[in-house]
Amino acid sequence: MASYIKVENLDFFYGDFQALHNINLEIEPKKITALIGPSGCGKSTFIRTLNRMNDLIDGTRVHGKIILDGKSILKNEIDVVELRKRVGMVFQKPNPFPKSIYENVIYGPKRHGIRNKSQLDQLVEQSLKNVALWDEVKDRLNESALALSGGQQQRLCIARSLAMKPDVLLMDEPTSALDPISTLRIEELVQQLKEQYTIVIVTHNMQQAARISDITAFFLNGELIEYGQTEYIFTKPCDQRTEDYITGRFG
Amino acid sequence: MTRYNYQNALDELEKEILKMGSLVEEQINLAVTSLAKQDLELARKVVDQDDIIDSLELEIEEKILKLIATQQPMAKDLRRIAAGFKIITDLERIGDNAVDIAKTTLRIGNEPLIKPLIDIPRMAEITQNMLREALDAYINEDVKLAETLAAKDDIVDSLHAQIIRELLTYMFENPRNINQGTHLMFVSRYLERIADHATNLGENVIYMVTAERKDLNE
């Protein structure tokens, strides 16, 4: 099930430094929401609040609310392992485990207690098919994932996330380490995945946001300056700062 | 399958341009029919329907801008989109010419025609065909078909000259014919302009396919 996320008055601090200021945003299911903005604008910090990856960093504090399908996820009693199962993440550099392709996909499900071989086989096939990698690797599932090309590795990482049957897929610059063709394939894939998931993608590549997203959010200096339908953000943004950024006249 | 959504949007754009084109083509037909049959009702319909064409133009324009802003079209895709942008401008102008003809019908009203209309409907038929062929050439990227428009435009031009000469004779013969004769001269001129717009369409098709400029209206 694709989730609906509501963010209310979110502040975030690294020690004394406030990285996010009063963010209010709704992330809609079955849509691709792209977060754009210059380096240090807070977009990566923001995406990491959505599955509490920032908890892993010492000295961080967060105020405000993030509501995932009606339930606040910033409360202490929330099981973050369960949360990250529902809110999967794909990173900038493909980071497959130094294991076989097969093992990479089932790593999460296995740790969550799925042992049945045929169930796991099915999961591997389904997940790899979802990312259009199955045909390329079905005859060498037991080979090391590290032998795959960068683009294949990234698709494998996405498959690994999908194997956990998440509701939300967070992608932090998933194509910045890939060549243009692999990038286009990932973009195609993301557009197909949105039929089933809620997708949030951070990208430095403005054109990528324009090409694939439904909603674009522009961050600057830890503030959410503007968000709305992508076609409007890129043709008639409301805020001058958005206009300056997307036209490359920044600063 | 690559860039599925983008390809879809390009196909969609083509369909809408085609739709606008057939509406415009129909407008020429109706306008000239209204004139030949002195059907004022039909003429009013042509005038009213122009709004549909105008808003379709704006709609397509908006789509083109969004495509350029979000999809970064390159090479032939870019030329196709740029050609589309110019084509809809020509189509809109043709639509206006059809309205001009319909308004002439209204101006002449029920006053008997000074002569039966033969050459004007013929000219209209040729210009409609030119328009249809220009759009076919656009859809099928058919340079050869686009190039044939030059010769057809020459036929329209000589028909226009012939109509002017004929109307002048009527006007010399009887000054009472001057008013309607002038109106009909304008109609001939509007049709001649429509043919020119059709050659513009053809030129854009040639540019789109070959990236070369060719004058079809020398």
Side-chain angles (χ1 to χ4, degrees):
Chain A
M1 185 195 70
S3 293
Y4 173 80
I5 302 171
K6 189 163 193 214
V7 177
E8 288 176 2
N9 308 321
L10 188 78
D11 292 320
F12 187 87
F13 300 84
Y14 293 105
D16 292 336
F17 175 72
Q18 185 166 2
L20 294 175
H21 298 263
N22 195 33
I23 307 295
N24 288 281
L25 179 65
E26 286 169 43
I27 297 171
E28 294 176 49
K30 299 189 180 186
K31 286 204 172 147
I32 301 171
T33 301
L35 312 179
I36 60 168
S39 295
C41 69
K43 58 191 189 296
S44 286
T45 299
F46 175 74
I47 200 175
R48 288 200 309 263
T49 60
L50 300 177
N51 66 348
R52 291 186 45 182
M53 289 292 279
N54 292 318
D55 288 12
L56 306 172
I57 305 168
D58 281 341
T60 58
R61 278 180 299 135
V62 57
H63 302 305
K65 274 189 187 163
I66 298 178
I67 299 158
L68 178 70
D69 292 331
K71 219 171 150 192
S72 171
I73 62 163
L74 292 181
K75 290 182 179 157
N76 283 333
E77 62 268 25
I78 286 284
D79 178 354
V80 292
V81 175
E82 191 58 29
L83 172 67
R84 287 174 199 152
K85 193 179 149 199
R86 285 186 61 195
V87 183
M89 193 156 194
V90 175
F91 298 89
Q92 182 169 1
K93 280 199 187 137
N95 55 352
F97 303 127
K99 290 171 176 287
S100 72
I101 295 167
Y102 187 93
E103 286 292 328
N104 261 278
V105 180
I106 62 165
Y107 187 83
K110 228 170 155 182
R111 286 171 63 109
H112 279 82
I114 301 179
R115 298 273 171 220
N116 182 311
K117 175 84 169 86
S118 69
Q119 208 181 337
L120 289 173
D121 285 351
Q122 217 178 6
L123 199 55
V124 168
E125 182 171 342
Q126 195 50 52
S127 306
L128 291 174
K129 275 185 175 163
N130 276 343
V131 300
L133 192 57
W134 175 251
D135 287 333
E136 291 163 56
V137 303
K138 65 181 177 212
D139 299 323
R140 47 178 177 139
L141 292 173
N142 293 318
E143 285 176 28
S144 169
L146 300 178
L148 298 172
S149 74
Q152 287 174 323
Q153 287 186 12
Q154 192 63 309
R155 276 182 282 150
L156 177 64
C157 292
I158 296 171
R160 191 173 62 189
S161 302
L162 298 183
M164 294 302 294
K165 302 197 182 305
D167 302 322
V168 182
L169 201 53
L170 307 179
M171 310 183 104
D172 194 354
E173 302 216 35
T175 62
S176 61
L178 304 181
D179 67 272
I181 299 298
S182 303
T183 296
L184 282 180
R185 294 200 66 168
I186 299 279
E187 289 181 3
E188 286 301 315
L189 170 62
V190 173
Q191 281 172 300
Q192 283 161 26
L193 292 176
K194 81 164 181 184
E195 317 259 314
Q196 302 171 58
Y197 304 94
T198 303
I199 296 177
V200 186
I201 181 167
V202 163
T203 176
H204 263 130
N205 180 340
M206 235 178 328
Q207 283 73 33
Q208 178 168 68
R211 277 195 298 271
I212 67 170
S213 71
D214 302 295
I215 306 287
T216 297
F218 171 57
F219 282 74
L220 183 64
N221 298 329
E223 286 178 58
L224 174 61
I225 304 298
E226 183 170 355
Y227 84 104
Q229 283 194 34
T230 297
E231 57 194 47
Y232 289 107
I233 295 284
F234 284 95
T235 52
K236 39 194 168 195
C238 297
D239 195 287
Q240 185 61 40
R241 291 167 291 180
T242 315
E243 172 108 22
D244 289 346
Y245 182 69
I246 63 172
T247 55
R249 288 180 174 81
F250 207 73
Chain B
M1 178 179 64
T2 46
R3 301 195 72 182
Y4 179 79
N5 290 331
Y6 171 48
Q7 193 55 49
N8 249 3
L10 286 176
D11 295 347
E12 201 55 40
L13 182 67
E14 212 160 71
K15 269 189 215 149
E16 295 221 9
I17 290 174
L18 212 55
K19 180 176 150 197
M20 184 176 172
S22 32
L23 278 174
V24 168
E25 190 190 318
E26 181 63 9
Q27 287 282 86
I28 306 172
N29 180 26
L30 297 180
V32 174
T33 307
S34 79
L35 182 70
K37 296 191 172 163
Q38 298 195 283
D39 184 340
L40 307 188
E41 195 60 38
L42 189 59
R44 275 184 218 106
K45 187 179 162 194
V46 172
V47 175
D48 289 346
Q49 282 187 160
D50 191 49
D51 287 349
I52 303 174
I53 291 166
D54 288 350
S55 52
L56 204 51
E57 186 201 12
L58 294 181
E59 229 172 85
I60 295 171
E61 201 176 296
E62 189 99 330
K63 282 199 175 149
I64 288 175
L65 288 177
K66 277 176 197 161
L67 262 176
I68 295 173
T70 61
Q71 299 297 330
Q72 306 98 43
M74 295 293 167
K76 198 175 186 181
D77 287 347
L78 181 59
R79 295 200 303 276
R80 174 171 285 276
I81 289 172
F85 216 127
K86 297 187 83 173
I87 285 173
I88 57 171
T89 308
D90 277 311
L91 290 177
E92 193 272 335
R93 298 296 288 276
I94 297 177
D96 287 349
N97 285 143
V99 168
D100 291 332
I101 295 170
K103 283 184 176 162
T104 308
T105 306
L106 297 175
R107 278 191 201 105
I108 294 175
N110 294 317
E111 166 194 319
L113 292 175
I114 56 174
K115 67 179 280 294
L117 300 186
I118 295 159
D119 285 334
I120 283 179
R122 218 177 113 209
M123 203 174 162
E125 202 188 317
I126 299 171
T127 56
Q128 276 176 73
N129 283 337
M130 287 175 71
L131 176 56
R132 194 176 315 134
E133 285 168 352
L135 291 167
D136 282 348
Y138 171 65
I139 296 300
N140 301 321
E141 304 187 3
D142 189 339
V143 172
K144 285 223 168 71
L145 182 60
E147 284 170 347
T148 64
L149 294 169
K152 287 160 194 157
D153 185 52
D154 291 343
I155 299 175
V156 171
D157 287 347
S158 54
L159 267 175
H160 176 54
Q162 184 188 317
I163 288 168
I164 298 291
R165 274 196 307 273
E166 194 190 1
L167 287 171
L168 278 174
T169 346
Y170 276 88
M171 286 150 85
F172 282 132
E173 269 171 16
N174 185 351
R176 285 179 211 274
N177 289 339
I178 289 178
N179 185 42
Q180 205 185 99
T182 313
H183 283 317
L184 293 175
M185 273 187 185
F186 271 110
V187 169
S188 178
R189 168 71 177 156
Y190 297 140
L191 290 169
E192 188 268 332
R193 286 303 300 153
I194 291 175
D196 288 346
H197 286 300
T199 60
N200 286 352
L201 260 56
E203 286 167 7
N204 281 310
V205 171
I206 293 170
Y207 176 67
M208 171 180 90
V209 181
T210 65
E212 275 165 29
R213 303 289 186 186
K214 184 156 183 180
D215 191 354
L216 294 180
N217 192 9
E218 280 169 305

